[in-house]
Structures are given as structure tokens and as C-alpha cells.
Amino acid sequence: MIVISDHALQIIICGMIGLLGTIAAIYSLVVIRRCQFLTGIVEHYCLIHASSGVVINACHTIWAVPCAIWDLNAELEWISYVFGFFIYAIIPLAYVARVSLAINRWFSVAFHGRYYHHLEEQRIYCYAVLVVLSAILIIPLLIPGCRCSLFTSPVIMFWTGESAIGGLYVDVVQIKLGYVEIAITATLEVSTLLLLSRRLKKLERTHTGQSRRQVGRQLRFAGQLVTFNTTEIAILVVTSVCTQYAATDFHMFLLFTASWQFGALLGNIIYIVFQRRSPKTGSGNVTLVQSRVFSRH
């Protein structure tokens, strides 16, 4: 009878999810680039969010798994810091992109889209906010004591374990800010979904099939964003509850590393499922057309 140790099982799970997650994430980027609906700054927000899946799962596949097998950390610790920086930096960047995307989508339908064109005209400031806020949240990772590195024993995980300030950074930026991101995006995206549902019902009586299709695409995208939030909340609830009963290092691996990888994988799969049938056609920015449709009501 073959007995697989907990550490070997961690390596297998980390490698499998990492490989699948990396492939799915790369494919989701291709889907986003080809999608007719996702254009301009909306496309860029989505690319940043989907890229988080590439970084998270690729870092585990390329570096965490080999280190867990051959113990490369001891000799090449500086490489662990590089991977740790990227894997932790992508999290606040994705948070800011997700909140910005939720705000963008809400303004596209709220107040009948009356103010959305102002947001479109000020896109340079939206990009500036994305860069500045992300930089503020990422720069602390360069400070000694707050740097993220890879740990392979007893649990495979990226963590800021150098000092108390590293733990504080994780608690505030990675965890508590994550709760804020989920609360804001869930509120705005559910509101957007409801507003679009009402708008679609009105358009069924007063507009052409083309207008209904345009709003239908936006409704589909809003449903995608709500699905993101649902999976995030579900994973958060499950891990929070199960953490109270975690009894082994393998349990901790499943609740932290594996769930993190799996959540990233699910996010990219959601992009593929919702957007893979919307190729680019060169027909222009659908979002702007929708904004004009809304403004007439």
C-alpha cells in the first residue's frame, strides 16, 4: 500500500491547481482581449483582475512547487522575495481594479446613464487613481520586515513572516481591505444588476432588438461580476468556519494556499464562461452606445 505524506500531498495539490489555474488565467486574458463588450478602461480593469489569477497560480507552480520538492529556498532566498513581492502586490492592485470596475459599471446605468459620459471623459484620472492607490498599498512590501517570502514547511505558503509589521500589513491590506472590497463591489454590482433588469424590461416594449441585445450584454457582464462576488463570499465563509476546526498542517494548507489558488482559478473560469462567445467585431465601444440609450429615458 502506497502512503503519501501530507507534504507530498500539498505539493501535488499545489502543482495541479497551479497548472490548471495558470492555463485558465492565460486563456481568460485571451477571451477578454477578443471580447466585443469589454473595451477601453473596462477592458483594462478586467485584464488586471484576470492577471491576478496568472500571478497567483504561476508563482505557486513555477516556484513554490520546486522549492517544496528540492528545498531551493535556503540557497535562493532572494528569488522567493521576488515571487513573494509579485504575488502579494497583485492582490491590492486587483482590489483597486475591481472596485473601480464596479463604480464604472454602476455609473453606466445609475441615473439613466446621465453622468457616465463625464466618467468616460475623465479616464486619465481614473487611470491615475488606479496607479496611485495601488502604489500606496504595494510600496510597503519593499520595506524590510514587511517583505513576503515563500515557506515550504510545515505548510506551503507565501507569507510576510519577518516581523510583526509584516503580519500587520497582511491583516490590514490583504484581509481587512479584502472585506471592504467585497462589501463595496457586492453592493454596487447587485444594484447594477437590478437596474439593468428593469431597464431591459422597459426596452422590450420601447426599443429595437439591437438596443435590447446591447443591454442584454451589459446585463450578462453584471451577472458575471455578481458571480465573482458570490464565489468570493462563499470561499470566505467556508474558510472562516473551517479554520476553527483545522487540526493539522495539511488542513491549514487547504484553507490558506489551496483555497487561494482555487479562488483565483474560479475567477478566471467565470471570465471564460461568461465572455468567450463575444468576439471583437470592430463595431465600436458598446458601453458608450449603451450610455446614450440609457440617457434617452
Side-chain angles (χ1 to χ4, degrees), residues 48-49 88-98 130-131 134-135 137-138:
I48 292 172
H49 181 225
Y88 265 36
I90 197 64
I91 298 174
L93 180 59
Y95 286 165
V96 177
R98 282 282 286 118
L130 174 66
V131 172
S134 300
L137 296 171
I138 291 171

Side-chain angles (χ1 to χ4, degrees), residues 4 38 61 80 87 91-93 111 138 162 168-169 173 181 215-216 246 254 256 274 276 294 296:
I4 302 177
L38 303 177
T61 305
S80 289
I87 201 169
I91 298 174
L93 180 59
F111 311 111
I138 291 171
E162 291 187 344
L168 179 63
Y169 175 85
V173 176
E181 178 263 329
V215 178
L254 292 178
F256 289 94
F274 278 84
R276 66 188 174 90
F294 295 149
R296 293 199 289 268

Side-chain angles (χ1 to χ4, degrees), residues 57-97:
N57 278 307
C59 285
H60 282 91
T61 305
I62 296 172
W63 188 243
V65 170
C67 282
I69 296 174
W70 294 295
D71 194 23
L72 303 176
N73 252 357
E75 297 179 2
L76 301 170
E77 187 178 14
W78 67 272
I79 298 181
S80 289
Y81 284 128
V82 172
F83 278 98
F85 172 80
F86 282 110
I87 201 169
Y88 265 36
I90 197 64
I91 298 174
L93 180 59
Y95 286 165
V96 177

Side-chain angles (χ1 to χ4, degrees), residues 268-284:
N268 292 117
I269 289 176
I270 290 170
Y271 270 113
I272 295 169
V273 170
F274 278 84
Q275 302 299 334
R276 66 188 174 90
R277 295 182 181 178
S278 301
K280 296 271 189 201
T281 62
S283 58

Side-chain angles (χ1 to χ4, degrees), residues 110-286:
F111 311 111
H112 304 287
R114 189 174 299 121
Y115 303 107
Y116 184 69
H117 70 281
H118 295 298
L119 193 64
E120 282 290 304
E121 291 171 354
Q122 304 301 324
R123 277 179 291 179
I124 186 65
Y125 297 106
C126 295
Y127 284 117
V129 169
L130 174 66
V131 172
V132 172
L133 285 181
S134 300
I136 291 172
L137 296 171
I138 291 171
I139 285 174
L141 289 171
L142 299 173
I143 301 173
C146 199
R147 293 180 299 180
C148 174
S149 186
L150 173 68
F151 295 83
T152 58
S153 181
V155 177
I156 299 174
M157 65 187 303
F158 284 93
W159 187 254
T160 54
E162 291 187 344
S163 68
I165 191 174
L168 179 63
Y169 175 85
V170 171
D171 183 56
V172 174
V173 176
Q174 309 286 343
I175 299 176
K176 288 187 170 60
L177 190 61
Y179 296 153
V180 173
E181 178 263 329
I182 291 175
I184 294 174
T185 54
T187 301
L188 292 175
E189 289 163 1
V190 169
S191 175
T192 300
L193 186 65
L194 295 175
L195 289 170
L196 280 169
S197 298
R198 295 176 185 175
R199 180 62 53 185
L200 186 60
K201 290 180 181 178
K202 291 181 180 180
L203 288 174
E204 287 175 352
R205 299 191 300 268
T206 61
H207 272 74
T208 65
Q210 179 67 20
S211 297
R212 290 197 300 272
R213 284 193 295 272
Q214 290 167 355
V215 178
R217 292 189 191 105
Q218 187 151 328
L219 184 64
R220 181 184 180 89
F221 186 51
Q224 172 188 328
L225 298 181
V226 171
T227 304
F228 281 142
N229 269 299
T230 303
T231 57
E232 284 180 336
I233 293 171
I235 292 173
L236 178 63
V237 171
V238 170
T239 54
S240 298
V241 172
C242 292
T243 298
Q244 309 300 319
Y245 304 96
T248 66
D249 293 329
F250 181 68
H251 292 161
M252 298 302 292
F253 164 79
L254 292 178
L255 292 173
F256 289 94
T257 302
S259 66
W260 189 18
Q261 291 182 269
F262 184 68
L265 169 62
L266 278 182
N268 292 117
I269 289 176
I270 290 170
Y271 270 113
I272 295 169
V273 170
F274 278 84
Q275 302 299 334
R276 66 188 174 90
R277 295 182 181 178
S278 301
K280 296 271 189 201
T281 62
S283 58
N285 193 327
V286 178

Side-chain angles (χ1 to χ4, degrees), residues 17-27 53-54 56-59 61 265:
I17 300 178
L19 181 60
L20 291 174
T22 303
I23 294 171
I26 293 172
Y27 183 49
V54 178
I56 290 169
N57 278 307
C59 285
T61 305
L265 169 62

